[in-house]
Amino acid sequence: MDIATKLIELRKRKGLTQEGLAAKLYVTRQAVSRWERGEVVPGIDMMKLIANVLDEPIMHLLDLPEHYCESCGMLLTPADYGSDADGSKDEHYCKWCYEQGKYTYDTTMDAMIEDCAPRLAENTGMSRDEAVSLMGAVLPHLKRWSVVHANEMIHGKEARERYGDAAVDAANERQLGMSEAEWVEKETLERAIIEQLKAAMATRDAMGPEATKLAQMHAQWIRAQWGEGAYSPNAYVALAQSYLADERFVNYYDSRAGKGATAFLVAAIEAAMEERGID
């Protein structure tokens, strides 16, 4: 599907007229009309704004090739494939980024963009600034740079041993499928949970109404992470109880809400489940 057709479909899905979309993008209706007729293709910065307004990942709007490296974003041919630990070809990465099941060099996403943007500009004819802007939009969605992939590389083995492949795979699929709006909502809820944890701790009552509200908010956040298909009350309580044995979780909550915050959160979740019930 070309960009013009995608724009028409997404605009109508949002219930917007050409004039309505134009107002949100601070352009004229005629500009939107030209995009939808395929006469003009929006620039990359405008494409970012369109993606935000229409609540659609920019990767779905860009007319990208089917196979590209999930580290640097370059177009892939079979001759360029990297390799897995067993030596077999890995069609998700180029050989310059990934060999023998490992990245060939340590870098940051910003450094990758600075390194690759000049070559992208040279090969495509776009300006260096346009190349930087394009890569800045694309790379955060690639496997190497996504939050899901980073968590899998760091905690994947431990999480799978503790919770099982099915639960981890379901949680990963859920996060990868989140729209930008859903992701922002989840992040906003996470910050609100810390504030509610502080308020509930001030009451010193893990069975009180503030603690119950905390447990309900935290359960909602976990469902957003896992997805309804992978979530169950028993698994949720077991997860919460495991926080106390993991210094990373203890540090996360205690450093943000005060010493003893993790223990209070777990007690609130247990109380809410036993006394009032949360689902």
Side-chain angles (χ1 to χ4, degrees):
M1 190 184 300
D2 59 25
I3 292 175
T5 304
K6 290 176 186 176
L7 282 176
I8 295 171
E9 178 184 302
L10 293 170
R11 172 177 62 77
K12 290 182 176 179
R13 187 185 301 171
K14 279 290 187 180
L16 294 171
T17 62
Q18 287 186 342
E19 190 171 53
L21 177 59
K24 290 180 178 293
L25 297 173
Y26 304 101
V27 299
T28 64
R29 183 198 65 78
Q30 288 82 359
V32 175
S33 178
R34 287 194 291 272
W35 296 337
E36 293 188 352
R37 292 199 302 270
E39 296 176 359
V40 179
V41 176
I44 183 61
D45 288 329
M46 178 56 69
M47 198 75 80
K48 291 179 181 178
L49 182 57
I50 292 171
N52 185 59
V53 167
L54 296 179
D55 190 24
E56 186 75 8
I58 193 168
M59 295 287 282
H60 294 175
L61 290 177
L62 296 172
D63 190 19
L64 295 174
E66 184 177 354
H67 290 98
Y68 47 85
C69 176
E70 294 281 1
S71 171
C72 66
M74 71 169 281
L75 174 65
L76 282 178
T77 65
D80 299 323
Y81 290 164
S83 62
D84 291 321
D86 61 3
S88 61
K89 293 294 184 181
D90 189 317
E91 63 183 26
H92 300 294
Y93 295 99
C94 72
K95 59 188 177 184
W96 295 280
C97 288
Y98 197 75
E99 281 290 341
Q100 298 297 311
K102 296 179 181 180
Y103 295 120
T104 56
Y105 55 94
D106 293 327
T107 187
T108 64
M109 186 171 67
D110 287 346
M112 178 73 78
I113 291 172
E114 289 299 314
D115 181 46
C116 295
R119 290 194 292 275
L120 176 63
E122 182 179 349
N123 292 333
T124 62
M126 64 177 65
S127 71
R128 184 181 180 282
D129 286 345
E130 289 173 328
V132 168
S133 186
L134 175 60
M135 293 192 71
V138 170
L139 260 64
H141 299 275
L142 303 183
K143 283 186 177 182
R144 181 169 188 175
W145 310 110
S146 72
V147 173
V148 169
H149 184 61
N151 285 340
E152 183 72 24
M153 293 290 283
I154 298 170
H155 305 297
K157 181 179 179 181
E158 178 184 347
R160 290 177 184 279
E161 289 175 350
R162 179 176 293 181
Y163 306 117
D165 288 339
V168 175
D169 288 342
N172 286 347
E173 289 180 13
R174 167 61 182 157
Q175 291 200 58
L176 287 170
M178 281 185 177
S179 66
E180 183 173 355
E182 288 176 318
W183 186 265
V184 170
E185 182 179 356
K186 181 182 75 70
E187 295 294 292
T188 301
L189 177 59
E190 184 174 0
R191 291 190 292 270
I193 287 169
I194 298 299
E195 296 306 311
Q196 183 61 30
L197 178 53
K198 294 176 182 177
M201 286 179 66
T203 70
R204 299 186 178 182
D205 184 1
M207 298 179 65
E210 292 296 327
T212 299
K213 180 179 178 181
L214 167 66
Q216 291 170 339
M217 291 171 66
H218 193 269
Q220 180 184 347
W221 181 71
I222 291 296
R223 284 198 297 271
Q225 296 268 66
W226 288 3
E228 293 293 344
Y231 175 89
S232 75
N234 289 338
Y236 169 51
V237 173
L239 170 69
Q241 291 170 338
S242 73
Y243 286 178
L244 296 174
D246 193 325
E247 64 180 12
R248 291 167 301 186
F249 286 107
V250 172
N251 181 65
Y252 176 83
Y253 289 106
D254 283 22
S255 66
R256 288 164 173 78
K259 187 176 181 179
T262 310
F264 186 92
L265 171 62
V266 174
I269 292 170
E270 291 173 336
M273 179 66 72
E274 294 173 3
E275 300 296 327
R276 298 171 180 83
I278 53 175
D279 54 28

